[in-house]
Amino acid sequence: MQFKEIIGQQRIKQQLVQTVKENRVSHAQLFLSPVGSGALPLALAYAQYINCLDKGEEDSCGVCSSCRKYERLIHPDLHFSYPFFASTSIKTAVDVLEEWRSMLLQDAYFDMDIWRSKLEAANKQANIPIAECHDIIKKLSYKAFEAETKVLIMWLPEYLDKSGNALLKLIEEPPANTLFILVAQSQDQILSTILSRTQIVKIPKLTNHEVSQFLLEHSGLTENQASDYSFLTDGNLIEAKALAADNQNDSSGIFTSWLRNGFSNKVPELIDFTEVAAKWGRENQKNFLKYGINYLRECCLIISGAEAMVKLPPLTLETAKKLSTHVLTLPMAEAIIAELEKAHYHIERNANPKILFLDVSLQLVKIIKFKTLPAGTQYIYN
């Protein structure tokens, strides 16, 4: 993978390239990023650049023998480690390497749920066991076959249990020309003994604009839909692509229309909405409710005078301003958020969607039209 294939992260790309140019590549690095920000693709592009035989100023050449093998993930000096579901036939990560390569070549942006779906997980717990740690030590004890630098990319070191301490000496005093790249999502879940032996590279989440542009170019969405999905997923490209694949609804328009019908006490329209929402499917229903929760939180910022912090796209922002100025108050917004969160909870537990959305619709009428707040949402604001 080349840097040019990675969405956004220009500052991090420049920083990584500069470490190679200045010969300041730390032998153990921890790429720490939120889910869906591209840490694993960055690790792959970084390793490819380091071993490229004809490096450019900003990227690997992509055509030398090393780059071609990296592109197909078959370079003999590129090793992977990742969580898997151990069994009598699967003892180390190499035993599911073909599945790993297939998934990575298909799309380098994925999470643990997607990886689990590629394996026969059943009810097993994924981890990186002691047998895998011993296999890593064995692989990295050999001399490099072709490249100047051997590279081990470990995805989600959070799944290392205490057996991960077996790697401490190797990480602290690795063989010559060996690079460890740990790709993590949660610093708190990593063994402190490993954390203290790595150089942390913090990778920020993608901006809403970067996610929106990607969706516009690759998913065939309208500009409004792309803006809605980028706002809803908050920089998580994996989640944004899943939304684009599953749901083509205009979340902003549908949600604001729902609020308006509640304010106008248009019960027939609310019943019609309930009939439509009941047919969306559980994941789309959950995504719609999640969008509403995020949307109302942005409205709370507008009501509180913190408009500079609002992340809504321009067209949606104008509607949110009108709602926040003429319809909603802070207690009302908080009460509706509570109703939507309860609905999301019950949808996850297979509640009847028709009954649930009708109930929430009637709660909207009570809160917005009649200003009847549920117990526990009456606050005094200065």
Side-chain angles (χ1 to χ4, degrees):
M1 176 164 280
Q2 293 179 279
F3 285 121
K4 67 182 181 183
E5 299 173 53
I6 298 169
I7 295 95
Q9 308 296 4
Q10 293 306 317
R11 183 183 62 81
I12 298 296
K13 292 176 189 177
Q14 292 167 5
Q15 176 183 323
L16 294 175
V17 167
Q18 201 62 28
T19 62
V20 179
K21 289 180 179 178
E22 297 175 1
N23 197 25
R24 293 187 295 104
V25 178
S26 175
H27 69 271
Q29 301 184 43
L30 174 67
F31 284 22
L32 185 64
S33 79
V35 181
S37 300
L40 182 57
L42 278 168
L44 283 167
Y46 187 39
Q48 181 169 320
Y49 185 73
I50 288 170
N51 283 315
C52 178
L53 303 178
D54 187 20
K55 298 179 183 65
E57 281 298 307
E58 298 180 349
D59 212 339
S60 53
C61 69
V63 295
C64 69
S65 60
S66 175
C67 284
R68 290 200 303 272
K69 290 175 183 176
Y70 260 88
E71 289 290 342
R72 290 180 288 162
L73 307 177
I74 58 171
H75 198 290
D77 297 310
L78 172 65
H79 305 284
F80 293 101
S81 183
Y82 36 81
F84 58 93
F85 304 93
S87 65
T88 52
S89 60
I90 301 173
K91 294 182 171 59
T92 65
V94 173
D95 295 328
V96 287
L97 182 59
E98 286 308 310
E99 291 87 342
W100 172 262
R101 281 177 176 157
S102 173
M103 182 182 63
L104 201 49
L105 289 170
Q106 183 179 349
D107 190 349
Y109 289 81
F110 58 87
D111 57 17
M112 191 62 201
D113 288 337
I114 296 173
W115 174 226
R116 170 186 281 273
S117 70
K118 302 292 182 184
L119 303 174
E120 295 181 6
N123 293 322
K124 298 172 188 173
Q125 180 66 43
N127 67 344
I128 303 176
I130 186 66
E132 172 65 8
C133 296
H134 289 160
D135 191 54
I136 290 170
I137 295 169
K138 178 182 175 182
K139 285 187 290 193
L140 296 186
S141 65
Y142 300 138
K143 288 185 177 181
F145 286 92
E146 296 179 10
E148 184 177 331
T149 304
K150 295 194 298 283
V151 179
L152 174 81
I153 297 176
M154 178 179 283
W155 183 60
L156 299 186
E158 297 96 319
Y159 284 82
L160 275 170
D161 54 23
K162 290 183 180 179
S163 61
N165 287 321
L167 297 173
L168 294 183
K169 182 172 176 56
L170 184 66
I171 293 174
E172 191 166 7
E173 299 176 8
N177 300 322
T178 300
L179 171 63
F180 282 89
I181 304 178
L182 310 181
V183 179
Q185 297 167 1
S186 175
Q187 183 173 339
D188 295 338
Q189 295 178 21
I190 302 172
L191 291 171
S192 58
T193 48
I194 288 180
L195 199 60
S196 63
R197 288 166 169 79
T198 60
Q199 180 186 74
I200 298 178
V201 179
K202 291 191 175 180
I203 299 167
K205 65 183 179 183
L206 296 171
T207 66
N208 286 0
H209 176 71
E210 288 167 341
V211 175
S212 178
Q213 284 300 114
F214 175 85
L215 293 177
L216 281 173
E217 293 169 10
H218 296 88
S219 300
L221 301 177
T222 66
E223 190 170 338
N224 281 347
Q225 287 172 332
S227 296
D228 285 347
Y229 292 168
S230 63
F231 162 69
L232 176 59
T233 55
D234 194 26
N236 185 338
L237 189 65
I238 299 167
E239 198 173 321
K241 289 196 287 188
L243 277 178
D246 291 342
N247 187 3
Q248 301 295 315
N249 287 333
D250 174 12
S251 298
S252 172
I254 295 172
F255 183 73
T256 52
S257 176
W258 192 28
L259 292 181
R260 286 195 192 99
N261 288 333
F263 176 71
S264 304
N265 196 16
K266 294 181 178 178
V267 175
E269 284 80 353
L270 292 173
I271 292 173
D272 290 342
F273 165 78
T274 298
E275 295 286 344
V276 172
K279 298 175 183 176
W280 284 344
R282 190 171 68 163
E283 289 305 312
N284 289 337
Q285 291 161 356
K286 285 164 57 181
N287 288 331
F288 176 75
L289 292 169
K290 185 178 175 183
Y291 178 89
I293 292 166
N294 289 344
Y295 182 93
L296 288 169
R297 285 176 178 162
E298 299 296 300
C299 288
C300 288
L301 291 174
I302 296 171
I303 296 168
S304 303
E307 192 177 318
M309 298 173 64
V310 175
K311 297 180 293 184
L312 290 169
L315 290 175
T316 309
L317 178 59
E318 287 304 311
T319 307
K321 284 181 182 178
K322 292 175 184 175
L323 280 169
S324 303
T325 306
H326 304 295
V327 178
L328 295 174
T329 64
L330 205 51
M332 288 163 64
E334 290 175 348
I336 297 170
I337 288 172
E339 292 297 330
L340 297 181
E341 287 176 338
K342 283 194 295 183
H344 188 280
Y345 173 87
H346 290 300
I347 285 289
E348 282 190 321
R349 283 149 185 80
N350 293 316
N352 184 306
K354 191 177 292 188
I355 295 173
L356 184 138
F357 275 101
L358 180 58
D359 178 66
V360 177
S361 297
L362 296 176
Q363 294 300 325
L364 289 181
V365 174
K366 285 176 63 178
I367 293 168
I368 305 177
K369 174 65 176 177
F370 299 108
K371 299 180 174 52
T372 304
L373 301 180
T377 56
Q378 288 78 36
Y379 304 107
I380 298 174
Y381 293 94
N382 295 324

